[in-house]
Amino acid sequence: MPSLGADMEAGTLVEWKIKPGDRVKRGDIVAEVETEKSEIDVEIFATGIVHELLVQPGDKVPVGTVLATIREDHEEPAAVTPAPARLRISPLAKKLAAELGVDATRIRGTGPEGAITREDVEKAAPAPKIQPAPRPDFQAGMRRAVAAAMSRSNREIPHYYLETHIDMQLSLDWLARENLNRPVKDRLLPAALLLRAVVHALHVVPELNGYWIDDHLEIKPSVNIGFAIALRQGGLITPAILDANEKSLDQLMHSLSDLISRARQGGLRSSELSEGTITVSNLGDLGVEAVYGVIYPPQVALVGFGRVQERPWASAGMLGVRPVLAATLAGDHRATDGRQGAQFLEALDRFLQEPEKL
Amino acid sequence: MTEQDLRRHILDIIHRVAPEADLSALGPEQDLRETLDIDSFDFLTIVIAINDKLQVNIPESDYRQVSTLAGIMQYLSHLTAASKGK
């Protein structure tokens, strides 16, 4: 059972996507696992042939439990580790289907791309309709998971906080011009530009991208940005855009759209929940001015963005009104100090003043 | 397309983007994003769906005009009327 975040202690195997004798390669989805936050597609990190499945669907097992054994081609047993067309169903609908005893594979979905929605499940439920009560359980599970991670973070990580205000005029003007010439489906959101600026700023201060493990900082070469996404049933989940440092602005926008859709409809991959190297929390849509985040261990930094709002702005002796963004950094003082944090925010600001280069 | 058809299409699009939202509680003048708790990504998804379904390109500069159900209806009705008049 892979650890899909610092807050995860156990998971329930929902479904195997493989059977003994199947050939699998690194990155294949081999199982679906339910955690307290969501249902996740588990990827395999080895290549070989499935030897034995050791855990049955429905079993809840602790993190670290061997789910299956695989063997390499032409070899005798038994390396360790943990798909046909996947059912498109939201986590909430799936949970409801299980509670109501409805076979979700027999439901015709009416959601996006045929996804099964809560309403579809309720309609398919047997006549004397059981009053569904999944929300309190789900919420309780979500709160427990968040509580575990954040308590650990506050217990272990000596946070420091820095904040800067960034004039977004040039960035927003550039985005407006850019989007004017694009088909609707290719429009860019400001969030994509911010992520790209974060990637560039991490090139300047790579110490913020990594893990604090065994009393030392491991700087990671790949930038996997965990992006906090609000779930419709409540709570937040922070799947990562993997290898964000290798993606163009358009690719980042595409990855962001894909990640948000899958976080809300189901279909996140295990690596997206376990390999984030830094987190970005963009709560501007919720109207907050600034975000003072709690670092997700073992990461060492969290970048927060509030909403862009018009403010009086003095520049070169002139007073004007500008769209201003409050950008914050929560840093792990064991890994970096305020000087590096300040360099990061300064670089972030600088890159957002030259959006055409992002 | 009748006004009723247009409204049905719009509500269908919103429902697909925010399936958990209670659309029966959405008043015509209520702000979509605040009332239905949808974010900028959801809003862009709605704009893309309108473009796909109704072949109407809503530029970003007009987003404020389509922030409510009534606003979207009015915006799209105007465009439909204008195209008929040509």
Side-chain angles (χ1 to χ4, degrees):
Chain A
M1 177 62 65
S3 172
L4 304 173
D7 50 357
M8 180 174 164
E9 294 178 351
T12 302
L13 179 72
V14 176
E15 181 186 1
W16 280 113
K17 306 285 191 186
I18 52 169
K19 58 184 184 308
D22 283 356
R23 188 179 299 274
V24 292
K25 64 179 189 305
R26 182 184 167 86
D28 282 354
I29 293 168
V30 296
E32 190 172 323
V33 162
E34 184 181 65
T35 71
E36 291 194 315
K37 279 191 169 183
S38 186
E39 280 166 6
I40 310 300
D41 290 334
V42 175
E43 300 154 271
I44 197 160
F45 293 94
T47 297
I49 293 172
V50 179
H51 181 61
E52 190 178 3
L53 305 180
L54 301 173
V55 174
Q56 301 306 310
D59 288 354
K60 184 173 184 176
V61 295
V63 166
T65 303
V66 177
L67 297 178
T69 57
I70 66 163
R71 59 185 167 83
E72 293 180 8
D73 287 0
H74 315 301
E75 282 185 20
E76 285 305 305
V80 187
T81 321
R86 94 180 301 280
L87 192 63
R88 292 187 67 82
I89 181 170
S90 71
L92 182 63
K94 192 157 195 173
K95 209 173 183 74
L96 184 59
E99 292 195 10
L100 296 178
V102 175
D103 181 358
T105 60
R106 295 176 179 276
I107 301 175
R108 187 189 176 96
T110 61
E113 298 177 39
I116 298 167
T117 65
R118 186 183 68 178
E119 287 75 16
D120 296 330
V121 175
E122 285 174 350
K123 281 179 191 166
K129 198 169 164 186
I130 302 165
Q131 204 58 348
R135 279 174 176 269
D137 290 341
F138 181 86
Q139 290 288 1
M142 172 72 80
R143 290 322 313 167
R144 273 197 304 273
V146 172
M150 297 300 99
S151 297
R152 178 185 160 194
S153 177
N154 266 334
R155 203 167 48 239
E156 296 180 0
I157 301 177
H159 287 67
Y160 68 86
Y161 290 95
L162 299 174
E163 177 175 347
T164 193
H165 291 88
I166 299 175
D167 178 0
M168 291 292 288
Q169 188 76 61
L170 293 172
S171 279
L172 295 183
D173 286 352
W174 180 83
L175 267 182
R177 286 195 303 275
E178 186 67 23
N179 284 337
L180 201 58
N181 299 319
R182 288 169 173 254
V184 179
K185 65 179 176 54
D186 292 336
R187 280 181 194 166
L188 299 167
L189 287 172
L193 201 63
L194 295 177
L195 290 179
R196 185 85 176 133
V198 166
V199 169
H200 278 262
L202 286 174
H203 284 305
V204 178
V205 189
E207 294 86 354
L208 293 171
N209 183 63
Y211 299 144
W212 183 262
I213 295 176
D214 296 333
D215 286 334
H216 77 279
L217 172 64
E218 286 181 13
I219 297 174
K220 296 293 180 184
S222 293
V223 177
N224 300 335
I225 300 182
F227 190 78
I229 296 170
L231 299 177
R232 300 210 180 284
Q233 59 268 50
L236 287 173
I237 196 165
T238 52
I241 296 176
L242 303 179
D243 301 315
N245 51 318
E246 294 176 7
K247 290 179 161 67
S248 66
L249 183 56
D250 281 285
Q251 288 169 328
L252 271 180
M253 180 63 207
H254 181 265
S255 295
L256 184 62
S257 300
D258 177 51
L259 202 65
I260 294 173
S261 297
R262 285 188 292 113
R264 290 175 175 168
Q265 294 170 18
L268 290 175
R269 299 167 76 98
S270 51
S271 58
E272 292 168 331
L273 285 170
S274 59
E275 295 182 13
T277 55
I278 187 171
T279 297
V280 169
S281 184
N282 180 8
L283 296 181
D285 274 340
L286 298 178
V288 299
E289 289 193 17
V291 178
Y292 305 99
V294 180
I295 298 168
Y296 200 74
Q299 295 170 21
V300 295
L302 181 147
V303 181
F305 294 118
R307 75 185 157 106
V308 175
Q309 54 185 336
E310 289 195 330
R311 286 187 166 209
W313 189 264
S315 176
M318 300 289 287
L319 185 62
V321 175
R322 297 291 176 87
V324 176
L325 169 74
T328 55
L329 173 73
D332 181 339
H333 230 319
R334 298 170 302 179
T336 60
D337 54 33
R339 184 170 174 276
Q340 290 156 305
Q343 286 173 334
F344 172 83
L345 289 180
E346 191 276 330
L348 191 68
D349 187 352
R350 186 157 29 90
F351 288 118
L352 286 169
Q353 303 314 313
E354 297 183 308
E356 66 283 356
K357 294 182 180 175
L358 287 174
Chain B
M1 186 183 299
T2 66
E3 193 174 310
Q4 202 172 8
D5 287 338
L6 185 60
R7 181 185 165 83
R8 188 166 47 78
H9 280 309
I10 295 167
L11 288 176
D12 182 54
I13 287 169
I14 296 172
H15 175 68
R16 285 168 182 272
V17 172
E20 303 294 326
D22 180 9
L23 296 184
S24 62
L26 177 66
E29 302 294 343
Q30 285 182 302
D31 187 277
L32 291 176
R33 293 173 66 158
E34 284 178 13
T35 310
L36 303 180
D37 197 20
I38 60 179
D39 57 22
S40 50
F41 170 76
D42 291 329
F43 191 75
L44 177 59
T45 306
I46 289 173
V47 172
I48 291 171
I50 288 174
N51 182 250
D52 288 345
K53 184 97 181 173
L54 305 172
Q55 284 75 53
V56 173
N57 181 348
I58 304 174
E60 283 187 319
S61 53
D62 288 349
Y63 278 2
R64 283 187 183 177
Q65 296 179 50
V66 294
S67 60
T68 64
L69 185 58
I72 298 177
M73 291 286 293
Q74 192 177 16
Y75 188 91
L76 297 179
S77 299
H78 275 315
L79 285 182
T80 309
S83 63
K84 276 181 185 172
K86 283 180 183 173

